[in-house]
Amino acid sequence: MNKLAQVFVVLFAGVALLSSCDDSKSYADLLKEEERAVKAFLADKIVINEIPADSVFISLQDVPNNDTLAVPYYKLDTDGNVYMQVLEPGYMDNRFEKGNDVNLRYLRYDLKALMNGENPDPVGNTNPADYITIRFGETTLSSTTQYGSGIQYPMYFLGNECKVNLLIRAKAGFTVETSTVMPYLYYIRYNKSK
């Protein structure tokens, strides 16, 4: 067999091997999975598709028996990339201002796994000595933008020491994970840096 024929055999075998191993999903498929997971999660929740005109959100302290199912999820952007459930609104007389450094402690759950009946381990930093610091309103500083835009939304509406549950789609999530199209459910505590 001459060299040219050997090259073609090797190339053909390589292409056949790659095509038989390609079980990856298309980006469109991943978007559909994300949409299904978000819809399934919100299906039994109270969802309010607009921000209250007075920016006064119903929180866990406003419902009887601390029933989180009675606390609505608010759609915070027009595309439905971020939904917020207010657990504690924080100190409304001590609001966040653009440029504030804010410490975040969070846990996040893989929403697709959660909605598939799995019990995913949360990932995050709830240890009191372990937190991330972002600069509120920052759109260029990589130490802030790496966490995506969704994580900043509550600071526009709530006060220092607020606690929320956030559903964040990949488009508004951690920038390194955007291509994975993985939605997450976050529990986040926000505190101004001292």
Side-chain angles (χ1 to χ4, degrees), residues 104-106 151 162-166 186-190:
L104 307 179
R105 288 182 181 81
Y106 71 92
I151 210 163
C162 63
K163 296 177 187 174
V164 300
N165 285 329
L166 280 183
Y186 290 78
Y187 164 75
I188 307 177
R189 295 172 52 197
Y190 297 83

Side-chain angles (χ1 to χ4, degrees), residues 81-119:
N81 290 317
V82 182
Y83 290 84
M84 175 177 72
Q85 182 185 48
V86 180
L87 302 175
E88 293 180 22
Y91 297 101
M92 297 305 284
D93 57 346
N94 186 9
R95 303 281 299 265
F96 299 99
E97 296 176 18
K98 288 188 178 182
N100 285 152
D101 285 337
V102 180
N103 299 329
L104 307 179
R105 288 182 181 81
Y106 71 92
L107 285 176
R108 70 180 188 159
Y109 299 84
D110 172 341
L111 191 64
K112 286 182 187 179
L114 199 61
M115 298 321 300
N116 284 333
E118 299 170 30
N119 191 15

Side-chain angles (χ1 to χ4, degrees), residues 15-86:
V15 168
L17 180 62
L18 286 175
S19 65
S20 68
C21 294
D22 186 13
D23 292 330
S24 64
K25 296 177 183 169
S26 72
Y27 187 70
D29 290 338
L30 294 173
L31 286 171
K32 287 177 187 172
E33 284 182 0
E34 180 186 53
E35 181 66 23
R36 281 192 297 272
V38 168
K39 283 185 176 181
F41 177 77
L42 294 174
D44 66 344
K45 312 291 186 289
I46 300 167
V47 177
I48 298 177
N49 287 317
E50 56 191 31
I51 297 164
D54 57 4
S55 291
V56 176
F57 294 85
I58 298 169
S59 69
L60 191 57
Q61 65 192 20
D62 299 323
V63 298
N65 303 322
N66 287 329
D67 181 7
T68 56
L69 287 176
V71 181
Y73 275 82
Y74 293 90
K75 182 177 168 183
L76 296 184
D77 68 327
T78 56
D79 295 329
N81 290 317
V82 182
Y83 290 84
M84 175 177 72
Q85 182 185 48
V86 180

Side-chain angles (χ1 to χ4, degrees), residues 177-193:
E177 299 172 345
T178 303
S179 64
T180 63
V181 194
M182 186 65 66
Y184 285 96
L185 180 63
Y186 290 78
Y187 164 75
I188 307 177
R189 295 172 52 197
Y190 297 83
N191 294 289
K192 288 184 183 179
S193 291

